[in-house]
Amino acid sequence: MSLIKKCLFPVAGYGTRFLPATKAMPKEMLPIVTKPLIQYAVEEAMAAGITGMAFVTGRGKRALEDHFDISYELKHQIAGSDKEKLLAETRNIIENCTFSYTRQVEMKGLGHAIEVGGNLIGDEPFAVILADDYCVAEDDSVLSQMVKLFDKYQCSIVAIEAVPQDETDRYGIIEGEEEAEGVFRISNMVEKPAAEDAPSNLAIVGRYILTPDIFEILHNTPPGKNGELQITDTLLTQAQQGQVIGYKFHGRRFDCGSVDGYIEAINYTYAQQRD
Ligand code: G1P
């Protein structure tokens, strides 16, 4: 039985790159073919043995709560029709997971969102998924690979991926020693450095496993890049004690926070489904 029982989903962001689509709809409800990004994220957590889904939401995000609830009207309307199977996966999630929500009233960064989510987590290690990093893997889901690694290392873990050098300013960038294949002991990390200041081209992707001491550290970390509380800065404190692993996951990530990445994800997934 895994030690990781809860996953935090920071979903308060506005998704302004997708306006007008996201004017009245959360960006996490954008579909990859017919399934919303947030459902893929929750399914990935489930595949890692997690059943406690904790959301840090914000204004205009109610559709997310409704998505993980029964719609009696809809259920009644499609009962007995061949459309029933289209909701089978959603029903399976609702029946097997618990959902909790809290609101981030002000947007003060990813670190702040995670700090706000602390009251849904408690004193245990937990996972974080950023739904707009849509990850596909052949057999084991990316988070599942990380949960297995946590059983061995028992410290915070971030998913990493090599990115083109001129894109380092879009990510948290790590520096570390590769101590097993694809497993880096992180010594330094910087949030969105310019190419010339980046310690490597290994970028953090939106999958984290965090140990609960992170909340105390968050509390004591000053705002960083863009005046926001950065999880990267907080993890640096743990990294300086040798307590953060960077993991080059098996699988592929699509940056669905950008229109190009989102369209690529749809084309890829549609082709997979058609085959
Ligand atoms: C956040 C993190 C960044 C990480 C990225 C992954 O940035 O701050 O370190 O590399 O997610 O998607 P954001 O994309 O929210 O600006």
Side-chain angles (χ1 to χ4, degrees):
M1 172 88 186
S2 161
L3 292 164
I4 311 292
K5 301 188 186 71
K6 291 182 186 166
C7 185
L8 197 67
F9 301 88
V11 290
Y14 295 128
T16 45
R17 285 199 200 128
F18 285 88
L19 284 169
T22 50
K23 182 161 183 281
M25 181 186 81
K27 63 174 169 151
E28 297 80 9
M29 289 302 292
L30 288 167
I32 301 294
V33 190
T34 57
K35 197 191 284 187
L37 278 167
I38 192 66
Q39 185 169 335
Y40 279 106
V42 167
E43 286 175 1
E44 186 180 331
M46 273 181 93
I50 294 171
T51 55
M53 309 299 170
F55 289 69
V56 180
T57 71
R59 286 179 290 281
K61 296 282 183 161
R62 276 204 211 138
L64 292 168
E65 295 182 42
D66 291 339
H67 187 73
F68 296 107
D69 199 350
I70 291 175
S71 164
Y72 286 105
E73 205 178 311
L74 192 58
K75 197 174 161 190
H76 178 73
Q77 200 181 332
I78 64 174
S81 81
D82 59 358
K83 302 241 175 58
E84 262 187 323
K85 64 176 185 301
L86 299 178
L87 280 182
E89 286 172 334
T90 323
R91 196 167 50 239
N92 178 45
I93 295 173
I94 296 169
E95 283 168 4
N96 290 292
C97 299
T98 58
F99 291 84
S100 56
Y101 302 90
T102 191
R103 277 204 185 202
Q104 187 184 12
V105 176
E106 288 176 284
M107 303 297 130
K108 293 197 283 193
L110 178 57
H112 177 247
I114 293 173
E115 190 180 17
V116 168
N119 60 9
L120 303 177
I121 300 294
D123 190 24
E124 56 186 277
F126 62 102
V128 177
I129 291 185
L130 308 184
D132 51 16
D133 273 337
Y134 166 64
C135 290
V136 294
E138 259 175 30
D139 24 46
D140 226 3
S141 80
V142 173
L143 195 63
S144 172
Q145 296 167 35
M146 293 170 70
V147 163
K148 285 180 187 150
L149 212 59
F150 180 79
D151 285 345
K152 180 168 176 202
Y153 288 94
Q154 304 278 321
C155 66
S156 290
I157 303 175
V158 297
I160 53 171
E161 162 180 277
V163 297
Q165 196 71 36
D166 62 353
E167 290 181 10
T168 56
D169 61 354
R170 288 166 45 182
Y171 302 95
I173 302 292
I174 69 123
E175 180 177 4
E177 281 281 304
E178 189 167 13
E179 58 174 54
E181 206 195 323
V183 177
F184 291 72
R185 183 72 64 174
I186 297 181
S187 53
N188 188 19
M189 48 212 303
V190 190
E191 181 67 7
K192 304 195 172 103
E196 58 274 22
D197 302 327
S200 76
N201 70 336
L202 293 173
I204 302 172
V205 163
R207 302 288 181 279
Y208 304 77
I209 290 180
L210 302 174
T211 51
D213 55 311
I214 201 79
F215 294 118
E216 175 72 26
I217 307 172
L218 274 167
H219 192 66
N220 294 312
T221 304
K225 190 96 188 176
N226 302 327
E228 295 179 336
L229 179 51
Q230 300 293 348
I231 192 64
T232 305
D233 297 343
T234 317
L235 279 163
L236 177 59
T237 303
Q238 289 185 334
Q240 284 161 344
Q241 295 153 6
Q243 293 300 308
V244 186
I245 292 289
Y247 171 59
K248 261 190 177 171
F249 59 94
H250 298 283
R252 182 161 172 198
R253 178 203 54 131
F254 296 90
D255 174 14
C256 292
S258 77
V259 174
D260 286 350
Y262 174 62
I263 299 301
E264 224 179 290
I266 293 175
N267 288 336
Y268 174 87
T269 306
Y270 182 62
Q272 297 281 96
Q273 290 176 358
R274 212 182 28 202
D275 294 345

